[in-house]
Amino acid sequence: MKGLKNKLALVTGGAGGIGLAICRRLAAEGCTVGILDLSQENAHRACEAVAAEGGKAVPVIADISNYEALARAIGDFTASGKTIDILVNNAGWDKFGNFVKQPPELYRKVIEINLLGMMNVTHIVAPGMLAQGAGRIVNIASDAGRVGSAGESSYAAAKGGVIAFTKSMARELAGKGIAVNVVCPGPTETSMMAEVVSAAGSPDKLREALLRLIPMRRFGQPEDVAGVVAFYASDDVAYVTGQVVSVSGGMNMVG
């Protein structure tokens, strides 16, 4: 990918699953990666995994729903005077279940992490990009936010908000050298997917049903998403902004 070498990237939820795959790919492309995660132990373990492959990574420990603590953590990460060139808003959380049976605190948590947390990070990082007149923001949403998903109403609502926010920010920042795009993973083999499937009651049947809906007849791997993120983070997409791409094996072909 063009233009990724020596760039400073921040990946939220970067300690596992899709997030770690993104960190490893960006580091392999020559970025120094800040792995932002709620768990200090997991963030340090992820940094070790990146370093083992010859990459550079730094742990950034913060709760993205806590604006003040988040701002301090990101400030420490950029204390050397460097500006974050690439922001990947990947952190997310889901809880499968019928919406009308969920307590309000649960769906508020889903919105807080998946939507408001992403807005918090962007609000803190974007001014630096504006000051340097360049940057890439890649937001990880979900096809649930494009077409809906039974049992994931709150999650779909949050991810739909991520998509709308991205398009709006893309318009606001288009003349400032900053591209903002969305990547929507379909069913991807991660611990979060495993939790969602297991909560469905008949996990084996659900997996079989999902596979029948995927033309490529396989679930996505975190690396499938990481490659697309690296593309959107690169200079190869200098004239692309406000776009939404599904990484779903053809499951959702939204025009």
Side-chain angles (χ1 to χ4, degrees):
M1 302 295 176
K2 291 172 57 179
L4 291 178
K5 192 172 183 180
N6 298 321
K7 292 292 179 67
L8 187 65
L10 180 66
V11 181
T12 71
I18 290 174
L20 179 55
I22 292 169
C23 291
R24 293 170 68 180
R25 178 59 186 270
L26 291 178
E29 295 283 353
C31 295
T32 296
V33 183
I35 300 180
L36 195 158
D37 203 85
L38 184 61
S39 167
Q40 182 172 350
E41 180 182 355
N42 291 344
H44 279 278
R45 187 182 299 116
C47 288
E48 291 172 357
V50 171
E53 297 174 353
K56 298 178 182 178
V58 179
V60 183
I61 313 305
D63 178 351
I64 61 173
S65 66
N66 185 330
Y67 187 94
E68 290 74 20
L70 178 66
R72 287 194 297 271
I74 293 175
D76 291 342
F77 176 57
T78 58
S80 62
K82 294 192 70 175
T83 298
I84 294 170
D85 302 294
I86 300 160
L87 170 61
V88 182
N89 282 306
N90 165 77
W93 182 78
D94 191 13
K95 183 73 171 180
F96 192 90
N98 193 311
F99 175 73
V100 298
K101 295 181 180 179
Q102 291 180 341
E105 56 267 24
L106 194 151
Y107 61 74
R108 286 179 184 141
K109 180 179 178 180
V110 171
I111 298 295
E112 190 172 62
I113 294 173
N114 292 284
L115 179 57
L116 297 181
M118 178 270 306
M119 295 173 72
N120 285 341
V121 181
T122 304
H123 193 260
I124 294 166
V125 172
M129 293 182 175
L130 284 167
Q132 73 175 3
R136 296 286 183 271
I137 300 174
V138 184
N139 294 324
I140 306 301
S142 168
D143 275 343
R146 306 182 82 183
V147 300
S149 178
E152 296 181 291
S153 296
S154 303
Y155 183 74
K159 292 303 188 180
V162 170
I163 294 169
F165 177 80
T166 300
K167 292 181 177 181
S168 299
M169 286 299 294
R171 293 183 183 278
E172 289 186 18
L173 302 176
K176 311 297 184 181
I178 303 168
V180 192
N181 292 288
V182 184
V183 176
C184 288
T188 306
E189 294 280 15
T190 64
S191 59
M192 190 172 83
M193 177 181 161
E195 290 176 12
V196 169
V197 169
S198 64
S202 301
D204 291 339
K205 289 183 179 180
L206 178 56
R207 287 178 65 90
E208 291 173 6
L210 286 171
L211 277 174
R212 286 195 295 270
L213 295 173
I214 302 172
M216 288 189 176
R217 293 294 186 268
R218 72 170 178 87
F219 292 118
Q221 298 299 315
E223 292 74 20
D224 293 321
V225 180
V228 179
V229 171
F231 173 65
Y232 273 117
S234 74
D235 289 345
D236 288 313
V237 292
Y239 197 55
V240 178
T241 195
Q243 301 305 306
V244 185
V245 61
S246 292
V247 184
S248 63
M251 181 177 181
N252 295 305
M253 302 182 185
V254 184

